[in-house]
Amino acid sequence: MMARGDKKRSAEADTKGAQDAEWVPEDDAVIGRALRRSAKVAAVLLLLVGVSWWLLRRGEDAAPEQTMEAAAPEVVTAEATAPEVTFRDITAAAGIDFVHYNGAYGDKLLPESMGGGVAVLDYDNDGDMDLLFVNSADWPHAEASEETPTMALYANDGGAIFSDVTAQAGLDLSFYGMGVAVADYDADGWTDVFLTAVGKNHLLRNVAGRFEDVTQAAGVGGGDEEWSSSAAFFDHDNDGDLDLFVANYVRWSKDIDFRLDYRLAGVGRAYGPPQNYQGTFCYLYRNDGDGSFEDVSAEAGVQIANPATGDPMAKALGVLPIDIDEDGWIDLLVANDTVRNFLFHNQGGGRFEESSELFGMAYDRNGLATGAMGIDVAHYRNDQNIGFLIGNFANEMSSLYVSQDDRRIFVDEAIGEGIGAPSRRMLSFGVLFFDYDLDGRLDLLQSNGHLEEEINTVDPSQQYRQPAQLFWNGGLEHGFVPIEPGTSGDLEQAIVGRGSTYADLDADGDLDVVLTQVAGPPLVLLNEQALGHHWLRLELRAQGTNHQALGAQVHLLADGVSQRRHVMLSRSYQSQVEPVLTFGLGTADGVDSLQVVWPDGRRESFTIAGVDRQLVIEQGGGETLP
């Protein structure tokens, strides 16, 4: 049996592969420009006319073949040229010697293929960004390794030189870890850590730089038989403190895995797809403000059952909290693997309504559920519209759901924006929007890698190790432009990519990148752009218990360019980004205006004097806006 799919999925993959063989990346550029030149309506009308004509003619004899020529919209703009920016691998030189361990011993157990996440956090409050890598462990039924695998925490000296502080910080813990979420959930001024796992999850309270396991007292361990993936801290009920959402994947065990017994023809046992595994229910924990949480999943409406069977539906791998319709309540977008995505629309009063189909974010452009992995969101066009990027399985394009001047109507515009064909062959996990060249437009990055080491023997178009993909944002006229091989440095290394994050690790103003991989070392990549662009980095401090301002929105105007950012740490795949917001300013040497919408809904305007620096923005320190 083919890996990662039953016969139906295999047939779909073959069809998409055939389509892909006739598609080249340049097609996306042409289509994208045409779409951006108001040809959308004309194309739809022509399609409807053609379909109607075909339906009417189905019962008639075939007419003589005719050739019709159609003029494409004239393209009058020059091709976009991405700037030259390279990324340099500093992993070993920076002192990072972590190697992910997945416990694989030959039985091909599905969790071994899913990798671990990474988080950027200032665990010791010294002002620079440290790195936490999630590790897995030996299987209890297998022979133990010589050295016990543990999580790994590296302290940054401020210049991207790291030291291993895992043991002294109390993070030398060993269990089958998956993802990570970080935030100061108890509002004591120290960033805490939540680790997801196959089995019990773990909440680790930061006590002045040393972590203590408070899982049992907090009540957030979850079930012994669950498999949790991504997680996010956010304030779901607007009471000021941070609640916790945990995405659960499939109902899995070694026995179930062996009963399904997926195989690659001519190879043997394989990592199977999730289709034949039962789904799960996700967790939502309400912070009670005393160090404990209450499981409110059922009453909050985040436990979605299959209407036909009544079984749990979620097969969740990515989660992103954001106020999608700007009504003052944080919503949740959940990326599900092979079943429809979830959009938990916050109704207020602690209640959510699953509205993915209503908003147009449940399926891909063909109306199919995808193998959805990681997720991110951005105002990448620098206007009022917002786009959600989801990385999908091989032979499935990444999805880019964009609002249509209405925050309740979204359309998948991956092809028109230039990422459709280039992303089709890749198996994408971690996805990120970030402005790598500081020109004021958010670019995007996809971390790629397959599940099967021997995939190339059965599918010559696929490789186990795959390079990451960087797309430069060329603006409204050009969309996203794939960066050509040979121009981005060590970012092009082929890896078994999974989690990803960004941060200014060396304090030079631009964003560096960290990618994790299965059963291998991470890539810590230093951004070596030298374009002379200006920048501004902002750390927000809100009043009340949510002092990290999770859920705040910042609107910056500089030289006529409007940029928006959301303060939310849970992004990508099983990972967390830094809490500081980075605004590229291009050639602008000043900021015209800066407005902040704080988590409690209050608005303030701040005067910014000077650029190319990092500032702390405190609530109550600006001019109050209506």
PDB file of all heavy atoms in Angstrom, residues 434-449:
ATOM      1  N   PHE A 434       7.309  36.652   7.453  1.00  0.00           N
ATOM      2  CA  PHE A 434       8.247  37.546   8.121  1.00  0.00           C
ATOM      3  C   PHE A 434       8.935  38.396   7.055  1.00  0.00           C
ATOM      4  O   PHE A 434       9.071  37.981   5.903  1.00  0.00           O
ATOM      5  CB  PHE A 434       9.256  36.780   8.977  1.00  0.00           C
ATOM      6  CG  PHE A 434      10.340  36.060   8.203  1.00  0.00           C
ATOM      7  CD1 PHE A 434      11.675  36.283   8.484  1.00  0.00           C
ATOM      8  CD2 PHE A 434      10.021  35.140   7.207  1.00  0.00           C
ATOM      9  CE1 PHE A 434      12.671  35.621   7.779  1.00  0.00           C
ATOM     10  CE2 PHE A 434      11.014  34.466   6.504  1.00  0.00           C
ATOM     11  CZ  PHE A 434      12.349  34.719   6.791  1.00  0.00           C
ATOM     12  N   ASP A 435       9.362  39.585   7.430  1.00  0.00           N
ATOM     13  CA  ASP A 435       9.976  40.523   6.492  1.00  0.00           C
ATOM     14  C   ASP A 435      11.490  40.342   6.540  1.00  0.00           C
ATOM     15  O   ASP A 435      12.199  41.049   7.247  1.00  0.00           O
ATOM     16  CB  ASP A 435       9.571  41.950   6.872  1.00  0.00           C
ATOM     17  CG  ASP A 435      10.041  42.990   5.860  1.00  0.00           C
ATOM     18  OD1 ASP A 435      10.689  42.609   4.872  1.00  0.00           O
ATOM     19  OD2 ASP A 435       9.768  44.187   6.084  1.00  0.00           O
ATOM     20  N   TYR A 436      11.994  39.401   5.749  1.00  0.00           N
ATOM     21  CA  TYR A 436      13.414  39.055   5.874  1.00  0.00           C
ATOM     22  C   TYR A 436      14.339  40.124   5.307  1.00  0.00           C
ATOM     23  O   TYR A 436      15.500  40.224   5.693  1.00  0.00           O
ATOM     24  CB  TYR A 436      13.699  37.695   5.220  1.00  0.00           C
ATOM     25  CG  TYR A 436      13.745  37.683   3.708  1.00  0.00           C
ATOM     26  CD1 TYR A 436      14.935  37.904   3.025  1.00  0.00           C
ATOM     27  CD2 TYR A 436      12.597  37.425   2.953  1.00  0.00           C
ATOM     28  CE1 TYR A 436      14.985  37.882   1.641  1.00  0.00           C
ATOM     29  CE2 TYR A 436      12.640  37.388   1.575  1.00  0.00           C
ATOM     30  CZ  TYR A 436      13.836  37.620   0.923  1.00  0.00           C
ATOM     31  OH  TYR A 436      13.885  37.597  -0.450  1.00  0.00           O
ATOM     32  N   ASP A 437      13.837  40.972   4.360  1.00  0.00           N
ATOM     33  CA  ASP A 437      14.692  41.994   3.761  1.00  0.00           C
ATOM     34  C   ASP A 437      14.356  43.400   4.259  1.00  0.00           C
ATOM     35  O   ASP A 437      14.922  44.385   3.775  1.00  0.00           O
ATOM     36  CB  ASP A 437      14.602  41.949   2.238  1.00  0.00           C
ATOM     37  CG  ASP A 437      13.187  42.197   1.724  1.00  0.00           C
ATOM     38  OD1 ASP A 437      12.226  42.067   2.516  1.00  0.00           O
ATOM     39  OD2 ASP A 437      13.035  42.511   0.535  1.00  0.00           O
ATOM     40  N   LEU A 438      13.437  43.500   5.220  1.00  0.00           N
ATOM     41  CA  LEU A 438      13.098  44.767   5.878  1.00  0.00           C
ATOM     42  C   LEU A 438      12.622  45.843   4.896  1.00  0.00           C
ATOM     43  O   LEU A 438      12.878  47.024   5.091  1.00  0.00           O
ATOM     44  CB  LEU A 438      14.295  45.294   6.686  1.00  0.00           C
ATOM     45  CG  LEU A 438      14.825  44.387   7.796  1.00  0.00           C
ATOM     46  CD1 LEU A 438      16.056  44.996   8.453  1.00  0.00           C
ATOM     47  CD2 LEU A 438      13.755  44.105   8.844  1.00  0.00           C
ATOM     48  N   ASP A 439      11.892  45.421   3.861  1.00  0.00           N
ATOM     49  CA  ASP A 439      11.394  46.397   2.886  1.00  0.00           C
ATOM     50  C   ASP A 439       9.972  46.863   3.190  1.00  0.00           C
ATOM     51  O   ASP A 439       9.397  47.642   2.430  1.00  0.00           O
ATOM     52  CB  ASP A 439      11.473  45.829   1.468  1.00  0.00           C
ATOM     53  CG  ASP A 439      10.529  44.644   1.243  1.00  0.00           C
ATOM     54  OD1 ASP A 439       9.942  44.144   2.230  1.00  0.00           O
ATOM     55  OD2 ASP A 439      10.391  44.219   0.083  1.00  0.00           O
ATOM     56  N   GLY A 440       9.387  46.351   4.287  1.00  0.00           N
ATOM     57  CA  GLY A 440       8.039  46.760   4.671  1.00  0.00           C
ATOM     58  C   GLY A 440       6.949  45.845   4.178  1.00  0.00           C
ATOM     59  O   GLY A 440       5.765  46.119   4.414  1.00  0.00           O
ATOM     60  N   ARG A 441       7.306  44.748   3.498  1.00  0.00           N
ATOM     61  CA  ARG A 441       6.324  43.770   3.039  1.00  0.00           C
ATOM     62  C   ARG A 441       6.686  42.402   3.605  1.00  0.00           C
ATOM     63  O   ARG A 441       7.852  41.995   3.569  1.00  0.00           O
ATOM     64  CB  ARG A 441       6.276  43.703   1.512  1.00  0.00           C
ATOM     65  CG  ARG A 441       5.826  44.997   0.850  1.00  0.00           C
ATOM     66  CD  ARG A 441       5.618  44.793  -0.655  1.00  0.00           C
ATOM     67  NE  ARG A 441       6.837  44.393  -1.336  1.00  0.00           N
ATOM     68  CZ  ARG A 441       7.702  45.237  -1.903  1.00  0.00           C
ATOM     69  NH1 ARG A 441       7.474  46.541  -1.840  1.00  0.00           N
ATOM     70  NH2 ARG A 441       8.779  44.783  -2.511  1.00  0.00           N
ATOM     71  N   LEU A 442       5.683  41.682   4.088  1.00  0.00           N
ATOM     72  CA  LEU A 442       5.920  40.395   4.727  1.00  0.00           C
ATOM     73  C   LEU A 442       6.116  39.298   3.691  1.00  0.00           C
ATOM     74  O   LEU A 442       5.254  39.059   2.848  1.00  0.00           O
ATOM     75  CB  LEU A 442       4.757  40.051   5.659  1.00  0.00           C
ATOM     76  CG  LEU A 442       4.702  40.892   6.943  1.00  0.00           C
ATOM     77  CD1 LEU A 442       3.361  40.713   7.640  1.00  0.00           C
ATOM     78  CD2 LEU A 442       5.841  40.528   7.876  1.00  0.00           C
ATOM     79  N   ASP A 443       7.251  38.640   3.749  1.00  0.00           N
ATOM     80  CA  ASP A 443       7.588  37.527   2.886  1.00  0.00           C
ATOM     81  C   ASP A 443       7.135  36.233   3.566  1.00  0.00           C
ATOM     82  O   ASP A 443       6.591  36.263   4.670  1.00  0.00           O
ATOM     83  CB  ASP A 443       9.098  37.529   2.645  1.00  0.00           C
ATOM     84  CG  ASP A 443       9.615  38.935   2.329  1.00  0.00           C
ATOM     85  OD1 ASP A 443       9.211  39.484   1.294  1.00  0.00           O
ATOM     86  OD2 ASP A 443      10.389  39.481   3.140  1.00  0.00           O
ATOM     87  N   LEU A 444       7.370  35.097   2.941  1.00  0.00           N
ATOM     88  CA  LEU A 444       6.966  33.851   3.598  1.00  0.00           C
ATOM     89  C   LEU A 444       8.005  32.755   3.397  1.00  0.00           C
ATOM     90  O   LEU A 444       8.759  32.746   2.424  1.00  0.00           O
ATOM     91  CB  LEU A 444       5.584  33.406   3.146  1.00  0.00           C
ATOM     92  CG  LEU A 444       5.318  32.991   1.701  1.00  0.00           C
ATOM     93  CD1 LEU A 444       5.652  31.522   1.487  1.00  0.00           C
ATOM     94  CD2 LEU A 444       3.864  33.256   1.344  1.00  0.00           C
ATOM     95  N   LEU A 445       8.006  31.846   4.364  1.00  0.00           N
ATOM     96  CA  LEU A 445       8.974  30.755   4.419  1.00  0.00           C
ATOM     97  C   LEU A 445       8.233  29.465   4.713  1.00  0.00           C
ATOM     98  O   LEU A 445       7.368  29.425   5.593  1.00  0.00           O
ATOM     99  CB  LEU A 445      10.013  31.023   5.512  1.00  0.00           C
ATOM    100  CG  LEU A 445      11.037  29.925   5.801  1.00  0.00           C
ATOM    101  CD1 LEU A 445      11.995  29.760   4.640  1.00  0.00           C
ATOM    102  CD2 LEU A 445      11.799  30.236   7.087  1.00  0.00           C
ATOM    103  N   GLN A 446       8.573  28.396   3.984  1.00  0.00           N
ATOM    104  CA  GLN A 446       7.998  27.081   4.228  1.00  0.00           C
ATOM    105  C   GLN A 446       9.112  26.088   4.529  1.00  0.00           C
ATOM    106  O   GLN A 446      10.086  25.987   3.782  1.00  0.00           O
ATOM    107  CB  GLN A 446       7.192  26.602   3.010  1.00  0.00           C
ATOM    108  CG  GLN A 446       6.010  27.491   2.685  1.00  0.00           C
ATOM    109  CD  GLN A 446       5.025  26.846   1.727  1.00  0.00           C
ATOM    110  OE1 GLN A 446       3.874  27.243   1.674  1.00  0.00           O
ATOM    111  NE2 GLN A 446       5.463  25.838   0.982  1.00  0.00           N
ATOM    112  N   SER A 447       8.958  25.349   5.629  1.00  0.00           N
ATOM    113  CA  SER A 447       9.910  24.306   5.995  1.00  0.00           C
ATOM    114  C   SER A 447       9.358  22.975   5.515  1.00  0.00           C
ATOM    115  O   SER A 447       8.219  22.601   5.838  1.00  0.00           O
ATOM    116  CB  SER A 447      10.112  24.284   7.509  1.00  0.00           C
ATOM    117  OG  SER A 447      11.046  23.293   7.875  1.00  0.00           O
ATOM    118  N   ASN A 448      10.166  22.225   4.750  1.00  0.00           N
ATOM    119  CA  ASN A 448       9.674  21.050   4.032  1.00  0.00           C
ATOM    120  C   ASN A 448      10.455  19.791   4.386  1.00  0.00           C
ATOM    121  O   ASN A 448      11.621  19.847   4.766  1.00  0.00           O
ATOM    122  CB  ASN A 448       9.777  21.281   2.522  1.00  0.00           C
ATOM    123  CG  ASN A 448       9.095  22.559   2.070  1.00  0.00           C
ATOM    124  OD1 ASN A 448       7.985  22.861   2.503  1.00  0.00           O
ATOM    125  ND2 ASN A 448       9.758  23.310   1.202  1.00  0.00           N
ATOM    126  N   GLY A 449       9.801  18.667   4.202  1.00  0.00           N
ATOM    127  CA  GLY A 449      10.438  17.369   4.397  1.00  0.00           C
ATOM    128  C   GLY A 449       9.391  16.266   4.378  1.00  0.00           C
ATOM    129  O   GLY A 449       8.283  16.447   4.885  1.00  0.00           O
TER     130      GLY A 449
END
